[in-house]
Amino acid sequence: MTSFQVPCIIFTALLSVAFLGRTIRAQMWIGIVSVIVGLTVVGVSDIIFNTDKNKDTNGIIAGDLLIIMAQIIVAVQMVYEERVINRFTIHPLEAVGWEGIFGFVLLGLLLIPFFHIDAGAFSELPTHKLDDAIDAFHQLGQNWQILTATLGNIFSIAFFNFAGISVTREISATTRMVLDSVRTIIIWVAALALDWQKFIPLQILGFVVLIIGMMLYNDIGIQFIRRTIMTRVLRRPLPPDEDQERLIPEDNANRRGGNIQEEPQPGPSNAAI
């Protein structure tokens, strides 16, 4: 499922340029492409080496299309969120709180019609309802593991949204989505540790490309690598640093060219005695 983050990253970058006037440099585009390639390798390798024979092809295609549409909607949300946060003075915690209240009220109201809609074959519930909130609360009361997982999910999503909005406010929505793709590695490691997923060596290559893309986009270690290659491999001197040039006072800069202008001395006072 990691490959379905690709549309979100692409549309977030494009919408940021189109509607927010963001400037994405060539190195950042290379980083975005690298992240996309890494996610694609991880996702495609999982599909190719999947040994599950009992799978519904039509259901998989329909689900994939819905996920892609959802990712595009998320990209629109990220860009609009950045616009609102930059336009109005809103603390990230306040934004998370309002989003949580809105989502709780909206989904809480939607649970009422979902309970009365007969989904037929699309529902795996015994009653074939689209959703059964009553049965969900019953399971929460009967199984402490489900309750613990639900509470953990609530708090983790809250901190996740707070961190994401903070990144959007301080940097950009595109950076948020690029960094968000890195959490796939944590999910992959946890799935392997819990034996929920089969180890596929090709995915390591995908994650390496993903990390390189993230480093390129955020310019992490790139300057150090460039300096090391120029000084130790190519044996070339480094160009003068612009920051060091700015530290030179303007008066000294004028003296370096030999254009020293003496300040006029004040003449004798003509005050009457």
Side-chain angles (χ1 to χ4, degrees):
M1 304 304 292
T2 56
S3 59
F4 292 108
Q5 290 181 297
V6 171
C8 190
I9 298 175
I10 296 175
F11 279 96
T12 301
L14 295 178
L15 292 175
S16 297
V17 174
F19 295 101
L20 299 179
R22 290 283 184 180
T23 301
I24 301 180
R25 296 179 285 109
Q27 176 180 323
M28 301 172 73
W29 279 115
I30 295 175
I32 292 175
V33 172
S34 300
V35 170
I36 292 173
V37 171
L39 290 174
T40 304
V41 171
V42 174
V44 171
S45 62
D46 193 20
I47 296 175
I48 294 176
F49 294 98
N50 189 3
T51 58
D52 186 11
K53 303 298 181 181
N54 300 323
K55 53 184 180 181
D56 184 11
T57 305
N58 294 330
I60 293 175
I61 294 176
D64 293 346
L65 292 176
L66 290 175
I67 292 175
I68 293 174
M69 293 173 59
Q71 291 295 312
I72 296 175
I73 295 175
V74 170
V76 175
Q77 176 194 348
M78 295 296 104
V79 175
Y80 183 75
E81 197 173 71
E82 179 181 353
R83 180 181 179 183
V84 171
I85 291 177
N86 292 333
R87 186 175 180 181
F88 304 99
T89 305
I90 302 177
H91 193 274
L93 280 178
E94 182 180 357
V96 171
W98 282 113
E99 288 182 357
I101 293 174
F102 176 79
F104 178 79
V105 173
L106 179 62
L107 294 179
L109 294 176
L110 288 176
L111 286 176
I112 299 175
F114 286 173
F115 181 78
H116 298 282
I117 295 177
D118 187 3
F122 290 97
S123 176
E124 296 182 357
L125 298 176
T127 57
H128 298 289
K129 296 179 180 179
L130 188 60
D131 201 351
D132 192 344
I134 298 177
D135 183 62
F137 283 109
H138 177 74
Q139 294 183 31
L140 289 173
Q142 297 295 324
N143 193 322
W144 66 270
Q145 294 179 341
I146 297 178
L147 178 61
T148 303
T150 302
L151 294 177
N153 186 41
I154 292 173
F155 285 102
S156 65
I157 290 297
F159 284 107
F160 172 76
N161 289 336
F162 168 70
I165 294 178
S166 299
V167 172
T168 301
R169 180 183 181 183
E170 299 297 331
I171 308 178
S172 67
T174 308
T175 303
R176 174 182 178 178
M177 298 313 304
V178 172
L179 294 177
D180 179 65
S181 63
V182 182
R183 68 187 172 102
T184 307
I185 302 176
I186 302 176
I187 298 174
W188 177 67
V189 173
L192 291 177
L194 297 173
D195 199 19
W196 290 351
Q197 183 174 344
K198 181 182 177 181
F199 175 73
I200 302 175
L202 184 60
Q203 291 182 340
I204 298 179
L205 175 62
F207 286 125
V208 170
V209 176
L210 188 151
I211 294 175
I212 293 175
M214 186 268 296
M215 294 177 64
L216 283 171
Y217 181 86
N218 294 285
D219 200 11
I220 300 176
I222 304 302
Q223 295 298 329
F224 173 77
I225 296 174
R226 184 180 67 86
R227 292 172 181 269
T228 303
I229 293 175
M230 291 188 65
T231 56
R232 298 186 179 183
V233 179
L234 301 179
R235 303 294 182 180
R236 294 180 180 178
L238 292 174
D241 193 355
E242 293 182 0
D243 294 334
Q244 294 180 358
E245 292 291 330
R246 293 174 184 172
L247 293 177
I248 301 176
E250 294 182 359
D251 293 339
N252 293 340
N254 294 331
R255 294 175 186 272
R256 288 168 57 187
N259 299 327
I260 303 176
Q261 299 179 357
E262 296 183 357
E263 296 182 359
Q265 298 295 331
S269 176
N270 296 326
I273 300 176

